[in-house]
Amino acid sequence: MSQQQRQQFPALSNKTYLNYGGQGPLPQTAINAIRQAYEWVQRIGPFSAQANAWAQDCANQTRQAIAEELGVTADTIALTEDVTVGCNIALWGIDWQRGDRLVMTDCEHPGVVATVQELQYRFGVEVDLCPVQATLNTNNAVEVIAEALTANTRLVVLSHILWNTGQVLPLKEIVAACRQVSTRSGEPIRVLADAAQSVGVLPLALADSGVDYYAFTGHKWLCGPAGVGGFYCHPEAMASLRPTFIGWRGITMDATGNPTGPKANAQRYEIATSAYPLYMGLREAIAVHRRWGTAQARYEQICRQSQRLWEGLREIPQVSCLRTAPPEAGLVSFVLESADHKGLVQFLQQHGVMVRTILDPSCVRACVHYVSDEPEIERLLQHIRRFVESS
């Protein structure tokens, strides 16, 4: 990536930033779009016919931009705040009955795990924890998940890209395995994908994957503002997924303003007033990525750069990568012989290099984007060598 393109991201000018899996840096044009939208709304009146019409149009355009990234239609997209909100829409919208089973991988984010635990407490849902972490280098995740499915399984909860190890799960094949199981309820086993690490990384065609629910955010790999995310619901799964939180944005009303039911599309899962200028920021961030290249081109660049980091890490005797093959995406997780992962992260931050620790498995995670360049990767490797040699 050229320096001119990198200069669009102010955060990249004075640091080595490799924490896209936590939060991506905003491009300057997105910052400008947000500020200008807030100022314009205040000038015309934040609650006025003009502002209300603008907000509706802004939301429609944002759903459309997101839908194009995901390979779906805009009517299947609900705008949310973040990944966890989207996961909660799916988890609470199912009509759970005692004896129902839920399959979840052992690599899910604590926010999702805690929600599932609450479902166990409230509804008596039985949870089958699936040992997917062990499949990182064996490529048999589909078989492991399929073995956990039963006639009582209602939902499979997984991450498209595992946030701790960087493994990409074969979503289409997992959905196909779920569809082959005859269930007690007569409904297919639904699949919820936590897409925190996949949207903005993988070239997506969700309509072809068959996935039922896909929860994502704009503030990580898409480099949009915090506070804007989304939830995809497959049209065939929408009828059986009831809204849990309900507001005026998700309902239809009669001539007197009385509610007449949920909207026919995924907007039924939206609630009420949002920070609409943030939608402008996300759309501009998406536009910046598209100007660089296609989703496939961006993904290939991510893989090239993450492989360069992976190869460099393997040359350091005191470091081991979790993956034995080159990374499938931008997450590169590794362990130190000394296990002083917290110390390394603190050392790196003192030198302007930003990565993070992961608790399970205990490791350090670096996130390589297509905007990451060779000097950044070399700087990270250089400081890791300095740290392990002085330990």
Side-chain angles (χ1 to χ4, degrees):
M1 187 175 188
S2 71
Q3 277 302 116
Q4 183 179 5
Q5 291 164 321
R6 280 178 57 84
Q7 286 170 1
Q8 296 181 71
F9 296 83
L12 302 183
S13 66
N14 62 351
K15 66 183 71 66
T16 295
Y17 192 79
L18 298 167
N19 266 335
Y20 295 90
Q23 184 163 347
L26 280 166
Q28 185 62 54
T29 51
I31 298 171
N32 295 343
I34 294 168
R35 184 184 65 250
Q36 291 166 7
Y38 270 118
E39 291 173 348
W40 181 79
V41 167
Q42 294 306 310
R43 284 198 299 271
I44 65 170
F47 194 81
S48 62
Q50 188 176 7
N52 292 341
W54 169 81
Q56 182 174 346
D57 182 63
C58 186
N60 289 337
Q61 290 189 47
T62 304
R63 290 189 204 94
Q64 183 60 45
I66 290 171
E68 290 172 5
E69 286 293 299
L70 272 58
V72 297
T73 56
D75 60 337
T76 62
I77 299 294
L79 297 174
T80 66
E81 291 74 33
D82 49 48
V83 176
T84 305
V85 169
C87 288
N88 271 269
I89 290 172
L91 289 167
W92 290 105
I94 294 172
D95 181 22
W96 295 105
Q97 303 295 320
R98 187 166 294 275
D100 287 342
R101 305 192 75 87
L102 179 153
V103 171
M104 180 172 63
T105 84
D106 60 350
C107 291
E108 299 314 306
H109 192 274
V112 173
V113 174
T115 307
V116 170
Q117 290 172 344
E118 188 65 17
L119 294 178
Q120 290 180 278
Y121 173 76
R122 294 198 194 185
F123 304 118
V125 175
E126 301 290 335
V127 176
D128 297 300
L129 197 62
C130 203
V132 166
Q133 189 176 132
T135 71
L136 175 61
N137 295 306
T138 58
N139 297 318
N140 63 331
V142 179
E143 292 84 351
V144 169
I145 291 174
E147 289 174 1
L149 304 177
T150 74
N152 290 331
T153 303
R154 295 284 301 277
L155 182 70
V156 171
V157 180
L158 53 80
S159 294
H160 198 170
I161 297 180
L162 303 184
W163 74 295
N164 48 8
T165 68
Q167 180 180 1
V168 181
L169 296 186
L171 189 58
K172 186 173 183 178
E173 290 79 0
I174 291 170
V175 172
C178 291
R179 297 296 186 261
Q180 294 173 9
V181 178
S182 298
T183 63
R184 182 192 64 182
S185 67
E187 281 200 9
I189 296 173
R190 301 295 183 188
V191 178
L192 164 63
D194 178 328
Q197 305 301 333
S198 53
V199 170
V201 176
L202 302 177
L204 296 170
L206 293 189
D208 296 334
S209 74
V211 68
D212 298 288
Y213 318 120
Y214 204 73
F216 54 93
T217 186
H219 78 273
K220 294 180 185 287
W221 296 88
L222 285 178
C223 300
V228 182
F231 174 71
Y232 161 79
C233 186
H234 192 288
E236 294 178 6
M238 204 173 295
S240 60
L241 188 74
R242 304 291 297 181
T244 299
F245 288 97
I246 299 172
W248 61 265
R249 272 174 64 178
I251 61 174
T252 55
M253 291 177 276
D254 63 21
T256 64
N258 287 315
T260 56
K263 288 184 176 178
N265 55 29
Q267 290 181 47
R268 64 176 56 192
Y269 306 115
E270 297 182 14
I271 304 172
T273 305
S274 296
Y276 299 105
L278 298 183
Y279 294 175
M280 299 285 290
L282 177 56
R283 289 214 312 277
E284 182 53 41
I286 292 172
V288 167
H289 300 316
R290 290 177 178 171
R291 285 193 289 269
W292 186 87
T294 64
Q296 181 64 38
R298 301 192 305 261
Y299 172 62
E300 290 173 0
Q301 177 68 0
I302 287 171
C303 289
R304 281 192 291 270
Q305 297 294 67
S306 61
Q307 180 169 347
R308 172 67 195 97
L309 173 58
W310 177 81
E311 290 171 346
L313 290 168
R314 285 165 59 87
E315 294 172 358
I316 304 174
Q318 302 91 336
V319 174
S320 300
C321 293
L322 295 188
R323 284 189 60 85
T324 57
E328 301 171 281
L331 275 64
V332 182
S333 296
F334 59 94
V335 299
L336 301 184
E337 190 177 75
S338 67
D340 187 11
H341 301 140
K342 183 177 180 180
L344 172 62
V345 170
Q346 292 174 339
F347 174 83
L348 291 173
Q349 187 157 335
Q350 290 169 3
H351 292 84
V353 180
M354 297 185 178
V355 296
R356 66 160 292 177
T357 59
I358 296 289
L359 296 179
D360 183 19
S362 179
C363 62
V364 177
R365 187 189 76 182
C367 297
V368 181
H369 210 299
Y370 80 90
V371 300
S372 305
D373 62 9
E374 290 289 337
E376 283 188 302
I377 292 171
E378 291 305 320
R379 201 172 299 122
L380 170 61
L381 292 170
Q382 175 188 356
H383 285 302
I384 291 174
R385 293 188 196 98
R386 287 180 56 195
F387 180 81
V388 298
E389 289 169 3
S390 65
S391 297

